[in-house]
């Protein structure tokens, strides 16, 4: 299956999503903020990124902008999950393949992930 990076400073939510995706057969790495996430993306080249919006050091919006600005990461799908900034993410549809409001449905998230991975 695919390598997926989950960036979220809410450790319990990141761990819950990571464990769910591992149970589905994916390899998952987590990052506590956007700066380390971007470093891990460049080092590990995941097939997909799931990011929270509000994180220290670099927001999910800034992370997605950095990914899109890096030609070496062209085509990397980024999913935004947010408790309060989903509308902002939807305004930037060029950055996010999907936007989920917290709390999100895990099966809907899995369907989106599988769709994005099969399209790429």
């Amino acid at each position: 299956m695919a390598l997926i990076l989950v960036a979220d400073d809410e450790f319990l939510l990141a761990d819950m999503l990571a464990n769910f995706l591992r149970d589905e057969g994916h390899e998952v790495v987590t990052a506590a903020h956007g700066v380390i996430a971007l470093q891990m993306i460049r080092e590990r080249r995941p097939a997909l990124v799931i990011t929270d919006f509000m994180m220290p050091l670099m927001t999910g919006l800034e992370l997605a902008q950095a990914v899109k600005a890096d030609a070496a990461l062209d085509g990397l799908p980024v999913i935004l999950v947010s408790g309060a900034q989903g509308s902002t993410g939807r305004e930037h549809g060029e950055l996010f393949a999907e936007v989920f409001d917290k709390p999100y449905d895990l099966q809907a998230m899995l369907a989106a992930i599988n769709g994005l991975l099969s399209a790429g």
Side-chain angles (χ1 to χ4, degrees):
M1 297 297 265
L3 173 62
I4 298 172
L5 185 141
V6 176
D8 196 328
D9 61 329
E10 296 180 55
F11 300 111
L12 291 176
L13 293 177
D15 286 345
M16 181 269 311
L17 180 56
N19 288 332
F20 172 75
L21 294 174
R22 287 182 187 116
D23 288 346
E24 295 297 323
H26 295 288
E27 180 182 358
V28 182
V29 292
T30 61
H33 55 75
V35 172
I36 191 72
L38 186 58
Q39 179 182 348
M40 293 172 74
I41 290 167
R42 289 180 171 144
E43 291 173 0
R44 302 281 313 265
R45 304 290 177 152
L48 185 136
V49 173
I50 302 170
T51 184
D52 187 21
F53 191 99
M54 296 299 293
M55 297 184 292
L57 304 179
M58 177 185 269
T59 68
L61 180 64
E62 293 166 332
L63 174 62
Q65 290 169 331
V67 166
K68 295 299 179 188
D70 188 335
L73 302 175
D74 186 40
L76 176 62
V78 178
I79 295 176
L80 176 69
V81 294
S82 180
Q85 302 296 328
S87 60
T88 301
R90 287 180 188 88
E91 292 172 3
H92 295 277
E94 76 284 3
L95 298 175
F96 301 106
E98 296 280 348
V99 177
F100 286 88
D101 296 308
K102 292 180 179 176
Y104 48 85
D105 180 273
L106 284 172
Q107 292 303 320
M109 173 70 76
L110 183 61
I113 290 168
N114 289 338
L116 290 167
L117 292 175
S118 66

